């Protein structure tokens, strides 16, 4: 009799533990998805700013028509529904690059730089960039959390049974890394 | 007029503060004399009374001694307070205006208990709250106010003989600083000194996460990527992304640096687009030199008071709160 109680007790404890671990894994996986979708939200906000930016700068920036056209094209491409995730990331990175170049080019137009409209827009853009970076960092934290759970004992066993896969971290793309070199951008403008 | 701060201070000292110091010194001397003379009288009177009542028992003479000290303090306490108030108003107030003309000093005001509680850094029930030495002002685009604050809670216990004993425990004692933050946000992010992680490492961090979930505050543990920052602080927030939006990589570095320069525990919270800092200094700021101290106030003393006033600027500059490149003006 006592043996049966013992076995039942152990089974209940094991069951509860299994349930908790399973739930924690699902929670972590959903946190990653949620973080990913919030990056998307921020990126969409950035698209919304681009038409405003172009409208503000185009009357001043007579020499950078190509740059602005490129920006519009990239935005259209990123917004079109039938784009693969990989292509989306590339487009996104190119967009960041071109935006950075527009901002540097503004330096050549003191009137534009001082205009209230542009200053407001620049503030909004900085804000969005900061938000995007925060969202990416949140995503990376969530992914690290999930990846740790997938690899560490005891959750790794359940994760194996659930067939959970490790996710990739966001890393600064080649384009973004190049952007940091502001001097080369100045040179290309001369 | 020279632009060198040291020379300007020298100028201020020569022209304005030296006479004030002399007055204060005279007041101190007079006060000392008064304390001594009245002390001697009180001592003699109490002594005589004790001799008279001693035959009725030791307890009554004890009562007489306590009464003697109390009366002596009632007679003189006001004067001591006045000396202190004079010092604060005339010396500290002038120094604060000298440091920055937009800044104001109010010795008897402070960060209110409502503001203190609204920061949500400390969540214990507050039973006793006091504040003093409020400094307010604006540096660049950043408005700030800070003061000394002492918040306590009490516990009551009854011993075996049925006597009730009240014990006071300090929740926070130090400088409480509130400034306008340079970014907009809606949620609540709290940064506290990390005890668990610095002692227990990863296990500590796990416990923090579980502990927060159990407290039902709706806040989540935020794990940040700066290892040095993570060793010093633990962060809870209502919003994972917003917490990272506020605690940018550069602000984390700046906070780490700030914590190291201060050398004491620093807790922060970001609520209602404001940054609240609780700096647990042990020093009582802006007090006059001790009554019994014989040295006169000098220029070098002023430097020390100015150092403390400079905290106003240090927080704004070291945390870069005047960087306004986002939508918040």
């Amino acid at each position: 009799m006592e043996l049966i109680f013992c076995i039942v007790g152990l089974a209940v404890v094991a069951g509860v533990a299994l349930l908790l671990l399973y739930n924690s894994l699902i929670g972590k996986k959903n946190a990653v998805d949620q973080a990913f979708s919030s990056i998307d939200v921020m990126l969409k906000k950035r698209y919304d700013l681009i038409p405003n930016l172009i409208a503000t700068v185009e009357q001043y920036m007579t020499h950078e028509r190509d740059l602005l056209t490129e920006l519009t094209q990239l935005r259209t491409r990123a917004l079109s529904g039938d784009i693969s995730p990989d292509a989306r990331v590339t487009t996104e990175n190119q967009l960041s690059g071109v935006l950075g170049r527009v901002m540097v080019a503004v330096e050549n137009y003191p009137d534009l730089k001082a205009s209230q409209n542009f200053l407001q827009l620049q503030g909004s853009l900085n804000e969005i960039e900061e938000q995007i970076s925060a969202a990416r960092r949140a995503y990376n934290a969530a992914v690290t959390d999930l990846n740790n759970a997938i690899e560490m004992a005891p959750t790794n066993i359940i994760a194996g049974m659930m067939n959970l896969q490790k996710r990739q971290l966001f890393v600064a793309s080649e384009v973004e890394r190049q952007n940091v070199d502001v001097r080369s951008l100045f040179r290309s403008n001369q | 007029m020279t632009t060198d701060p040291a020379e300007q201070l020298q100028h201020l000292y020569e022209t304005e503060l030296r006479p004030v110091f002399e007055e204060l010194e005279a007041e101190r001397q007079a006060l000392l004399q008064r304390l001594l003379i009245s002390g001697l009288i009180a001592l003699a009177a109490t002594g005589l009374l004790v001799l008279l009542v001693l035959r009725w028992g030791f307890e009554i003479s004890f009562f007489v001694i306590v009464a003697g000290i109390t009366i002596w303090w009632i007679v003189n306490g006001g004067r001591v307070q006045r000396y202190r108030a004079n010092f604060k108003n005339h010396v500290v107030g002038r120094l604060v205006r000298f440091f920055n003309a937009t800044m104001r000093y109010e010795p008897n005001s402070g960060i209110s208990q409502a503001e203190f509680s609204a920061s949500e850094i400390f969540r214990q029930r507050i039973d006793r709250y006091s504040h003093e030495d409020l400094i307010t002002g604006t540096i660049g685009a950043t408005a700030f106010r800070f003061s000394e604050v002492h918040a306590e809670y009490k516990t009551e216990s009854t011993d075996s003989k049925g006597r009730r004993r009240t014990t006071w425990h300090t929740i926070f004692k130090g400088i409480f600083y509130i400034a306008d933050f340079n970014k907009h946000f809606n949620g609540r992010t709290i940064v506290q000194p990390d005890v668990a992680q610095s002692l227990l490492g990863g296990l500590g961090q796990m416990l923090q996460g579980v502990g927060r979930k159990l407290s039902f505050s709706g806040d989540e543990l935020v794990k940040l990527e700066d290892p040095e920052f993570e060793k010093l602080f633990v962060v809870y927030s209502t919003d994972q992304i917003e917490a990272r939006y506020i605690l940018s990589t550069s602000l984390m570095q700046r906070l780490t640096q700030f914590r190291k320069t201060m050398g004491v525990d620093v807790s922060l919270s970001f609520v209602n687009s404001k940054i609240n800092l609780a700096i647990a200094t042990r020093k009582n700021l802006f007090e006059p030199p001790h009554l019994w101290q014989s040295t006169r106030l000098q220029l070098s003393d002023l430097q020390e008071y100015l150092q403390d006033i400079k905290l106003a600027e240090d927080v704004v500059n070291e945390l870069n709160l005047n960087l306004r490149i986002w939508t918040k003006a």
Side-chain angles (χ1 to χ4, degrees), chain A residues 79-109:
Chain A
L79 275 175
S80 66
D82 56 340
I83 183 169
S84 74
D86 279 350
R88 169 87 190 278
V89 172
T90 322
T91 315
E92 221 46 83
N93 288 337
Q94 282 171 339
L95 196 84
S96 299
V98 175
L99 263 178
R101 271 156 64 198
V102 171
M103 285 307 173
V104 172
V106 169
E107 298 294 321
N108 298 332
Y109 304 88

Side-chain angles (χ1 to χ4, degrees), chain A residues 10-84:
Chain A
L10 274 177
V12 169
V13 169
V16 169
L18 212 67
L19 206 73
L20 285 176
L21 292 176
Y22 177 83
N23 281 351
S24 84
L25 276 170
I26 293 289
K28 286 179 185 4
K29 184 179 78 82
N30 289 344
V32 169
D33 292 338
Q34 191 204 357
F36 188 78
S37 67
S38 58
I39 300 178
D40 218 36
V41 172
M42 302 296 172
L43 288 175
K44 291 228 163 77
K45 274 196 200 164
R46 185 164 72 169
Y47 302 145
D48 295 344
L49 279 178
I50 289 172
N52 277 335
L53 176 73
I54 291 174
T56 311
V57 301
E58 98 192 313
Q59 44 184 327
Y60 295 90
M61 295 176 112
T62 39
H63 301 293
E64 276 85 4
R65 287 260 175 251
D66 295 349
L67 205 59
L68 296 182
T69 320
E70 198 184 340
L71 196 59
T72 316
Q73 282 168 351
L74 284 169
R75 175 177 182 268
T76 320
R77 199 190 311 159
L79 275 175
S80 66
D82 56 340
I83 183 169
S84 74

Side-chain angles (χ1 to χ4, degrees), chain B residues 281-301:
Chain B
T281 51
R282 280 180 201 88
K283 189 175 169 189
N284 193 356
L285 299 182
F286 311 132
E287 291 302 314
H290 205 272
L291 267 180
W292 313 98
Q293 191 181 315
S294 58
T295 51
R296 281 157 176 266
L297 270 172
Q298 285 167 357
L299 193 61
S300 57
D301 297 318

Side-chain angles (χ1 to χ4, degrees), chain B residues 4-21:
Chain B
D4 177 33
E7 278 177 42
Q8 278 182 348
L9 186 65
Q10 174 89 33
H11 182 75
L12 179 83
Y13 174 69
E14 300 290 348
T15 54
E16 282 187 50
L17 289 178
R18 203 206 282 272
V20 173
F21 280 1

